[in-house]
Amino acid sequence: MARDITFEEAQKRVEELRKEIDRHNYLYFVLNAPEISDQEFDALMRELIELEEKFPELITPYSPTQRVGEQPSKEFAQVQHPVPLLSLSNAFDFGDLKEWDERIKRQVKNSVDYVVELKIDGLSVALTYENGIFVMGATRGDGYTGEDITANLKTIKTLPLRLKDAIPRLVVRGEAFMPKAAFNRLNEERERNGLPLFANPRNAAAGSLRQLDPKITASRTLGLFVYEVFMVKGVELDTQWRVLDFLQKQGFPVNPYKKLCSSIEEVYSQCKEWEEKRWELDYDIDGLVVKVNSLEIQKTLGHTSKSPRWAIAYKFQSEQAVTRVKDIIIRVGRTGVLTPTAILEPVRIGGTTVSRATLHNEDIIREKDIRIGDKVVVQKAGEIIPEIVSVIKEERKGTEKVFSFPAKCPECGSRVVRFPGEAAVRCTGGLVCPAQQRESIIHFASRDAMNIEGLGPKIIEQLLEKGLVKDVADLYYLKKEDLINLERMGEKSAENLINAIQKSKSNPLSRLLFGLGVRYVGSRAAKILAESFKTMDKLIEADIDELLEINEIGEKIARSIVEFFKEEHNLKVIEKLKNAGVNMSEVSSEEVLPFKGKKFVLTGKLNSMTRNEAKEKIEFLGGEVLSSVSRKVDYLILGKDPGSKYEKAVSLGITILDEEQFLELIEKSKK
Ligand code: IVH
């Protein structure tokens, strides 16, 4: 079709096509809202390429065909920035922000509005447009002189080659970055090809933009956000908010998460919010940038030689650090899994000292090729335990030792096995293995399980060593005298511990079930199971099909439960728990507990039970026991020789029950 077309017709069509292609590019890459299919887009591109081939004189540097047009260069040319690219001073907490805000207010003698933007962790670039056409892109360099990376920047699909308006001259600043997903893909590919890995997306972006061959840059997915106008002719702008709006209207990718704030408190709450939410983004941010909104006030405030006074970076605490692997040890968990852990030279990450990192399993050590003595990048992400991101292989000295996984359990010497399809290596020692005994009791007593206050790992270890307990049921047969002889245990703490153990007897079945540590049964599954079966006996009798009928219970959990209750030693433990008086049933959270929302106060001595037992009963039925009488209290339970609480309750007109009435109330509510 291009054959019979005249030059003038081609010129017109080429322009139309370029406008169309730019528009669809923007819709696809910036707005994520394509209007045409990939095939239709390719057809437009093909038509343009054909016309440009026929009439090469029509090719312009801003044509979408020229995103990867240029030949590799030998070196980057140096470019002088028209305005120095300053950096920012940092704030690390609210105090720093407040101080900065006060200084501004003192100078301006008024309050000011701020724009809060995400601080993209990438590479700062300056982009120059002449008559609306992209003519040059440069790195920041030392702030005064950068490198001309125009050809590479053109390969970024979201960078507009031509703006909406033919503005005579416009210089903007933005940040080029690599999205996390692209970074992971790139590193996986490099790993397959035996190439060194990039430590983080920022380094990968920098490495990609500093390629002398733009084809390599084009093969890497890079993103861009533009946030500043340095220089503009022919456009009046008065606030940063309007600057962002203007940039967006001209076709630049502008980060959508921006906020106009009228106080520094509001600014800080944005900072805190993003400190949590940053993990949801597909690109790294290392903080937020706070800018005075009014450009006129910005001008009055001016800048120092390094940074503007009208902006500040609120920096998140760093989540990565470099350190050395001193050793690799194996820990045996509750279910017998051998987990390798790296012992690190202590290093500060994000406000805490890290000296260990999980290595997950045998395969990860091999895949990442982590050796004892290696220098590594360690990361702490959110709440997750620190892990090793990568090894800095270039710094190996040759003395590093390859770790070999043990063939025997380091705690009990039993054989270890690795089931097909599983990454985990397990000890076959079962409850003979002291590590499994210890870990299973620690789990049983933990907060989300039986929540036995004061029963921590140190005490559990001593109880096991002295032979006072072998399994979780033995805990309920402990006496105060057994405990007093333990290290750092006095009369009072022994009594408290016994009370805490006794109190845990009235926990609902779901806690007990979770505490028993059945494989794959987490606290949520335990709750679902307990609510469906109501009692331990019914659950023990359940077969696979019955279990699978329950919503959210899949094959893996169902099988694991059936297997667990087939084991004679597990049934024995449950029997022992039952005999000790541990509750084996669940009151569904949908059923209303009879004492729910009711507040009780106990006074005087009861005949049929201790005060503690009374408290347990009330709590089991959903009530709460308070230590003093106030208007909030619903019932005062009156024993022999009551104290002043009695008079107070009378004066406040609170319902008073004697022991008999209290027992009746319990009986009635049980029904
Ligand atoms: S404004 C003169 N805004 O953070 C003010 N910078 O040291 C120029 N950055 O080098 C910076 N996101 O590369 C600004 N929304 C944002 C930013 C941002 C990332 C980078 C920029 C600068 C560094 C601060």
Side-chain angles (χ1 to χ4, degrees):
M1 146 227 180
R3 223 164 289 131
D4 314 317
I5 200 167
T6 66
F7 181 80
E8 284 71 29
E9 281 168 340
Q11 197 171 24
K12 193 162 152 265
R13 181 66 186 148
V14 158
E15 265 313 289
E16 273 170 18
L17 283 167
R18 287 177 186 155
K19 282 226 168 85
E20 264 308 275
I21 291 167
D22 282 347
R23 193 171 75 85
H24 289 301
N25 236 339
Y26 184 79
L27 285 168
Y28 185 90
F29 288 107
V30 181
L31 300 186
N32 254 328
E35 281 178 5
I36 58 173
S37 68
D38 289 0
Q39 287 79 359
E40 286 168 296
F41 181 84
D42 290 344
L44 294 175
M45 263 312 247
R46 255 196 327 272
E47 192 186 341
L48 180 60
I49 292 169
E50 275 177 25
L51 285 173
E52 287 183 351
E53 274 170 1
K54 188 157 165 68
F55 301 105
E57 56 273 50
L58 285 179
I59 298 176
T60 62
Y62 63 81
S63 174
T65 59
Q66 302 304 299
R67 283 202 186 260
V68 209
E70 268 133 277
Q71 291 305 307
S73 48
K74 291 213 171 46
E75 58 175 3
F76 297 112
Q78 301 270 308
V79 283
Q80 202 76 16
H81 295 304
V83 180
L85 267 69
L86 301 176
S87 68
L88 295 173
S89 47
N90 295 327
F92 295 97
D93 53 27
F94 182 65
D96 295 344
L97 284 176
K98 184 106 188 116
E99 210 175 284
W100 175 72
D101 170 62
E102 276 161 8
R103 212 177 320 127
I104 290 177
K105 282 185 191 151
R106 262 201 310 277
Q107 218 172 322
V108 182
K109 300 193 177 63
N110 212 334
S111 68
V112 288
D113 287 343
Y114 297 113
V115 177
V116 181
E117 297 168 20
L118 301 188
K119 186 170 183 311
I120 314 295
D121 195 9
L123 225 76
S124 199
V125 292
L127 312 171
T128 306
Y129 288 77
E130 273 166 13
N131 299 318
I133 287 160
F134 178 57
V135 291
M136 214 233 343
T139 61
R140 174 171 183 267
D142 63 2
Y144 298 91
T145 327
E147 285 174 324
D148 180 345
I149 52 164
T150 312
N152 289 344
L153 284 168
K154 272 180 151 178
T155 69
I156 300 180
K157 306 270 203 320
T158 53
L159 179 144
L161 296 176
R162 187 160 42 161
L163 303 177
K164 186 155 167 299
D165 300 321
I167 301 160
R169 189 173 162 77
L170 176 70
V171 186
V172 298
R173 180 171 177 180
E175 201 83 357
F177 61 92
M178 185 175 284
K180 289 184 206 164
F183 166 75
N184 290 333
R185 271 200 311 272
L186 174 64
N187 259 359
E188 277 161 23
E189 187 192 312
R190 289 176 72 84
E191 174 128 52
R192 275 197 302 278
N193 297 330
L195 294 167
L197 304 187
F198 287 113
N200 52 46
R202 187 195 147 80
N203 288 2
S208 305
L209 281 174
R210 296 199 73 264
Q211 284 292 334
L212 289 167
D213 183 356
K215 287 204 180 57
I216 298 182
T217 315
S219 72
R220 313 257 171 95
T221 307
L222 293 173
L224 174 76
F225 285 122
V226 174
Y227 47 73
E228 290 280 324
V229 169
F230 279 145
M231 221 191 217
V232 60
K233 277 202 190 121
V235 185
E236 287 304 315
L237 292 164
D238 58 356
T239 62
Q240 171 64 7
W241 194 255
R242 293 216 171 96
V243 164
L244 294 174
D245 191 50
F246 159 78
L247 288 169
Q248 185 158 3
K249 292 211 169 103
Q250 287 305 321
F252 286 108
V254 173
N255 192 284
Y257 304 110
K258 51 189 187 249
K259 195 169 165 127
L260 192 58
C261 297
S262 55
S263 72
I264 203 72
E265 285 75 18
E266 210 182 321
V267 166
Y268 183 61
S269 95
Q270 270 294 294
C271 295
K272 289 318 272 180
E273 200 176 317
W274 278 107
E275 194 141 19
E276 300 284 320
K277 279 201 307 199
R278 59 193 288 209
W279 311 108
E280 295 166 16
L281 297 167
D282 184 38
Y283 42 85
D284 280 337
I285 58 173
D286 59 341
L288 288 102
V289 182
V290 191
K291 300 171 182 175
V292 168
N293 189 28
S294 153
L295 300 192
E296 197 178 313
I297 300 180
Q298 285 191 3
K299 226 197 229 146
T300 354
L301 289 167
H303 54 83
T304 67
S305 63
K306 285 201 208 83
S307 52
R309 291 198 189 88
W310 48 263
I312 198 164
Y314 174 86
K315 295 271 284 235
F316 298 143
Q317 292 187 320
S318 160
E319 303 288 333
Q320 280 195 347
V322 172
T323 187
R324 199 175 290 281
V325 176
K326 287 206 301 198
D327 199 2
I328 294 177
I329 59 157
I330 297 285
R331 288 158 58 104
V332 183
R334 170 168 62 87
T335 55
V337 175
L338 273 62
T339 309
T341 302
I343 304 295
L344 307 169
E345 265 170 25
V347 63
R348 298 281 296 172
I349 311 180
T352 56
T353 302
V354 169
S355 52
R356 281 164 186 255
T358 173
L359 294 170
H360 302 288
N361 57 50
E362 195 179 8
D363 294 349
I364 303 262
I365 303 181
R366 196 171 332 108
E367 276 161 23
K368 294 195 175 163
D369 188 17
I370 299 165
R371 305 180 189 179
I372 298 168
D374 267 341
K375 227 179 185 188
V376 290
V377 178
V378 184
Q379 171 166 284
K380 216 177 69 184
E383 299 284 298
I384 308 163
I385 337 166
E387 58 180 7
I388 292 177
V389 184
S390 57
V391 174
I392 307 177
K393 291 189 182 143
E394 303 84 78
E395 298 209 16
R396 276 197 179 144
K397 297 192 182 72
T399 50
E400 294 76 13
K401 278 203 296 259
V402 175
F403 176 75
S404 53
F405 220 81
K408 285 193 171 139
C409 170
E411 296 253 7
C412 70
S414 301
R415 201 167 45 86
V416 299
V417 288
R418 182 172 168 174
F419 294 110
E422 264 193 32
V425 171
R426 285 170 202 282
C427 158
T428 53
L431 285 178
V432 176
C433 174
Q436 290 186 55
Q437 282 175 353
R438 182 183 64 230
E439 296 302 320
S440 61
I441 300 176
I442 291 174
H443 171 74
F444 185 81
S446 68
R447 248 244 303 274
D448 290 340
M450 295 298 267
N451 191 20
I452 305 177
E453 215 173 300
L455 189 58
K458 291 252 155 58
I459 293 178
I460 293 170
E461 247 161 60
Q462 292 184 64
L463 292 173
L464 281 163
E465 258 169 42
K466 292 201 156 39
L468 288 165
V469 299
K470 284 208 162 51
D471 57 44
V472 296
D474 293 335
L475 292 171
Y476 294 97
Y477 295 86
L478 287 170
K479 289 190 256 354
K480 198 165 110 185
E481 305 80 71
D482 296 329
L483 299 180
I484 286 175
N485 294 326
L486 302 181
E487 259 171 54
R488 272 181 290 163
M489 180 72 78
E491 170 106 23
K492 187 72 197 148
S493 41
E495 197 175 302
N496 287 344
L497 184 51
I498 294 287
N499 284 341
I501 294 172
Q502 291 305 316
K503 185 178 155 203
S504 75
K505 281 185 188 171
S506 53
N507 276 334
L509 174 64
S510 50
R511 281 183 174 270
L512 175 64
L513 202 54
F514 175 57
L516 287 175
V518 185
R519 251 179 104 189
Y520 306 123
V521 178
S523 56
R524 181 166 168 78
K527 184 102 191 129
I528 294 170
L529 290 164
E531 286 191 355
S532 319
F533 289 91
K534 300 278 193 298
T535 68
M536 181 67 99
D537 288 340
K538 291 213 185 89
L539 181 63
I540 293 175
E541 283 161 20
D543 60 22
I544 291 266
D545 294 333
E546 271 173 90
L547 287 161
L548 285 175
E549 264 170 37
I550 301 165
N551 229 349
E552 288 190 56
I553 300 297
E555 186 90 24
K556 221 157 86 173
I557 298 182
R559 273 192 201 291
S560 169
I561 291 166
V562 171
E563 290 301 316
F564 183 86
F565 290 125
K566 258 199 219 153
E567 293 287 337
E568 200 54 43
H569 65 259
N570 288 334
L571 293 175
K572 255 197 205 141
V573 169
I574 292 169
E575 204 49 41
K576 239 161 64 184
L577 286 166
K578 224 187 249 177
N579 292 338
V582 175
N583 170 49
M584 298 272 157
S585 65
E586 182 88 353
V587 184
S588 150
S589 58
E590 277 115 53
E591 289 169 35
V592 183
L593 289 164
F595 284 4
K596 195 173 163 67
K598 296 279 181 257
K599 297 188 169 59
F600 293 75
V601 170
L602 301 163
T603 182
K605 209 170 141 48
L606 297 171
N607 271 328
S608 60
M609 61 185 108
T610 65
R611 289 266 289 265
N612 239 320
E613 282 163 348
K615 186 167 182 262
E616 267 174 26
K617 284 209 161 69
I618 293 168
E619 286 171 349
F620 182 62
L621 294 168
E624 193 184 342
V625 177
L626 305 181
S627 55
S628 64
V629 177
S630 72
R631 266 177 220 291
K632 289 188 295 188
V633 172
D634 299 284
Y635 298 104
L636 180 83
I637 310 301
L638 188 64
K640 253 204 338 245
D641 305 326
S644 62
K645 290 177 189 165
Y646 173 65
E647 278 118 61
K648 188 151 185 212
V650 173
S651 73
L652 291 174
I654 287 162
T655 311
I656 297 169
L657 305 176
D658 61 21
E659 185 163 352
E660 209 174 308
Q661 289 167 316
F662 174 49
L663 291 174
E664 260 171 43
L665 184 69
I666 292 176
E667 277 316 304
K668 250 200 337 231
S669 31
K670 274 190 182 159
K671 278 173 203 145

